[in-house]
Amino acid sequence: MPALLVLLLAAGCSDSRTVAIDEVPAAAEDVPVTQDASTGSYTLDCGRNEERHLNADNMVINPGRPFGAHHTHEYVGNLTTDAYSTDQSLAAAGTTCAAGDLSAYYWPVLRVTDRTGHDAHAQGGGVHGNTGEVLVPAEVTITFTGSPVSKVVPLPRFLRTITGDPAALTTGGGRAKWSCTGFEDRQTDLYPVCAAGSLVVRTFDFPSCWDGRNTDSPSHRAHLEHPAANGVCRLGTFPVPRLRLRVAYDVPSGHPFAIDSFPEQLRDPRTDHAMFVDVMPDALMNEVVTCLNAGRTCP
């Protein structure tokens, strides 16, 4: 493990990587909605990964390469997601989602870094610098919302997408959102220091402007983009349901924590990211779209 990373984790995190949540300014108001907006929301219950479906694969970025992620991912939804997953295998699998959604939702695990993990000597874990005990999420919420300026069209089945940048320490990019329960109007890209009794919250907002043709692209981003700040999709793209994945953890008080990352990314909080592979049955996707466009809260 790089010496710098050892020092950072021994101290919990460096000052530059943490912030007290009450020092984070509240976010600006939401984008104003127009009369054409799709204001509904559809929430799915896919559990908290009680099954402990974990691996260091990434079927979107590194298909066919076990341990290709070099860090450990946590999954809800499809029960078989791994490096060898295909459209056909996902469609034939079971799911943790109550509504029959076969989609794969996954993100890097969060660890308490002053404890020994189950994978201290395994790839994706200690071998790649990701040490510590993996925390089980206290809450996982999957919500689809519409567009503030227009109706939405269905996502195509087997679409793959990513939000966030797992190389953000290098690129300077990223869309990491960290917060604490009771303060979720305050979002930061640093590890939050939460008050006693408050959960650490990670929020992943996925892109929602589809090119109308492709379920993937070489960058895994070009086919599905984020809208502009005013909620409008770029000309030539179409608004689709926006996925928000919210994961909350009861981090033991006083213990340091960090997400898994590529070794060279030093477990920086800005590298937080998540993946989504849409394997919803068409009937369920149509139900989601109808709900959003009708302005209802479902189910």
Side-chain angles (χ1 to χ4, degrees):
M1 185 188 304
L4 174 60
L5 182 56
V6 172
L7 292 173
L8 289 174
L9 297 183
C13 297
S14 71
D15 289 344
S16 64
R17 303 204 314 174
T18 64
V19 63
I21 195 62
D22 59 0
E23 295 179 2
V24 177
E29 295 292 327
D30 290 338
V31 176
V33 299
T34 70
Q35 63 180 7
D36 297 320
S38 43
T39 58
S41 65
Y42 196 107
T43 301
L44 288 161
D45 180 5
C46 294
R48 301 181 293 110
N49 191 22
E50 293 90 342
E51 300 76 13
R52 306 316 296 140
H53 181 181
L54 306 169
N55 61 48
D57 301 348
N58 191 331
M59 65 160 289
V60 174
I61 306 298
N62 292 297
R65 288 184 56 197
F67 308 105
H70 292 180
H71 55 268
T72 299
H73 285 127
E74 177 141 38
Y75 297 80
V76 297
N78 201 286
L79 287 167
T80 63
T81 315
D82 63 17
Y84 298 111
S85 292
T86 64
D87 293 352
Q88 293 73 26
S89 69
L90 294 173
T95 181
T96 67
C97 299
D101 178 13
L102 300 175
S103 300
Y105 305 86
Y106 59 102
W107 58 91
V109 297
L110 187 74
R111 300 178 189 255
V112 174
T113 57
D114 61 356
R115 296 178 179 175
T116 302
H118 70 284
D119 54 355
H121 304 290
Q123 295 187 66
V127 168
H128 287 117
N130 295 304
T131 56
E133 179 185 307
V134 174
L135 288 175
V136 179
E139 301 172 3
V140 176
T141 308
I142 296 171
T143 305
F144 288 88
T145 56
S147 163
V149 297
S150 67
K151 304 304 183 189
V152 295
V153 300
L155 281 161
R157 201 174 195 210
F158 304 119
L159 177 138
R160 291 140 164 78
T161 185
I162 180 174
T163 189
D165 184 356
L169 181 62
T170 301
T171 66
R175 288 180 174 269
K177 290 184 177 181
W178 294 84
S179 191
C180 307
T181 53
F183 297 87
E184 289 182 65
D185 60 335
R186 302 165 186 257
Q187 299 285 334
T188 176
D189 60 1
L190 303 177
Y191 288 123
V193 179
C194 300
S198 182
L199 304 180
V200 172
V201 179
R202 301 157 71 184
T203 300
F204 304 101
D205 285 325
F206 283 78
S208 55
C209 298
W210 178 45
D211 69 5
R213 300 182 304 277
N214 299 297
T215 56
D216 202 356
S217 54
S219 67
H220 311 294
R221 300 177 189 272
H223 63 299
L224 192 69
E225 306 173 358
H226 288 276
N230 62 1
V232 175
C233 286
R234 181 178 60 83
L235 185 65
T237 65
F238 304 89
V240 292
R242 186 187 74 161
L243 168 61
R244 169 169 284 184
L245 177 60
R246 176 186 174 275
V247 188
Y249 300 85
D250 186 4
V251 177
S253 179
H255 289 266
F257 61 93
I259 54 171
D260 274 19
S261 75
F262 295 129
E264 67 275 12
Q265 298 301 309
L266 302 178
R267 307 178 79 174
D268 192 283
R270 293 168 294 180
T271 66
D272 210 6
H273 59 282
M275 318 292 292
F276 168 53
V277 182
D278 174 30
V279 198
M280 278 192 191
D282 290 342
L284 178 58
M285 177 55 70
N286 290 335
E287 182 180 322
V288 170
V289 168
T290 298
C291 172
L292 303 185
N293 287 340
R296 302 199 308 266
T297 299
C298 306

